Amino acid sequence: MKPLCKAHMLEAHRVHPWHWMEVWNGRCFERRDLYELGFVFHLGHSGSTCESREPTTAPHTFTVVHENGIHTVFLHQCHCLGRPTLVSQLVRADLFPATVERPETAFTRDVLRDFILDFEISKKSAQDFMRRIVRKTN
C-alpha cells in the first residue's frame, strides 16, 4: 500500500478503525494503534462528529477487542437531544460492551463470531481465546 501522511491515514481509516498502522520512525516501521495518531471514534452520525457535542468535551478512552488484537480508542458519543444510551450507541456501531453499567470495554462483532467458531471447533475456553488475542496485540 502507498504510504500516507498522518491526516490521510486517519481519514482513510475512519471506516476501518481496528487496523494497525505501520509508521516510519526514521529508521524502521513500527506498529501503532490509530489512537496513537490522534484517531477519535465517533458514535452515531456514521462516524462523523456529533454537532451537538460540547467543544470542550474530551473523548473517553475505551478498550476494543477485535480479532486482530486489543485496541485503545478515543471515543465520542452522540450528544443529540433524544439520543440513545451509550450502550445502544455502541451496539449500533457493532460494538458489544462488556458491561451495561459504565462500559469501558467492548467486543467487535467480528471477534465474537471468531470466538464462537473457535469454541465450536476446538472447545477452547474463553481464557485461551483471549490469550491468543493478547498475543496478536503484542
Side-chain angles (χ1 to χ4, degrees):
M1 181 176 197
K2 181 178 160 187
L4 300 172
C5 69
K6 181 179 163 182
H8 284 105
M9 188 182 301
L10 292 174
E11 180 56 32
H13 286 86
R14 187 172 61 85
V15 294
H16 302 290
W18 318 127
H19 286 179
W20 294 103
M21 300 297 103
E22 294 289 327
V23 178
W24 184 252
N25 69 5
R27 292 181 40 225
C28 63
F29 284 100
E30 293 180 338
R31 188 168 120 161
R32 301 276 186 210
D33 212 341
L34 279 170
Y35 91 96
E36 295 176 82
L37 304 175
F39 179 78
V40 178
F41 188 78
H42 295 275
L43 295 174
H45 309 284
S46 301
S48 298
T49 304
C50 176
E51 294 180 13
S52 298
R53 178 180 66 83
E54 294 292 324
T56 58
T57 305
H60 301 283
T61 303
F62 209 80
T63 302
V64 175
V65 181
H66 186 57
E67 59 191 351
N68 68 354
I70 300 171
H71 298 265
T72 301
V73 65
F74 294 128
L75 181 88
H76 267 302
Q77 57 182 309
C78 173
H79 289 281
C80 290
L81 188 63
R83 71 184 175 272
T85 64
L86 174 57
V87 171
S88 293
Q89 290 181 51
L90 288 167
V91 171
R92 289 176 185 185
D94 286 334
L95 297 171
F96 299 89
T99 179
V100 293
E101 302 265 338
R102 292 185 9 206
E104 296 176 2
T105 301
F107 299 86
T108 64
R109 178 177 37 174
D110 294 333
V111 79
L112 294 176
R113 284 182 178 161
D114 194 29
F115 170 71
I116 289 168
L117 180 63
D118 193 56
F119 180 76
E120 287 176 349
I121 293 170
S122 68
K123 304 298 186 219
K124 289 182 189 173
S125 69
Q127 184 176 12
D128 288 337
F129 181 80
M130 281 306 297
R131 281 189 188 126
R132 183 173 64 116
I133 297 296
V134 168
R135 289 199 62 187
K136 287 182 175 183
T137 304
N138 298 330

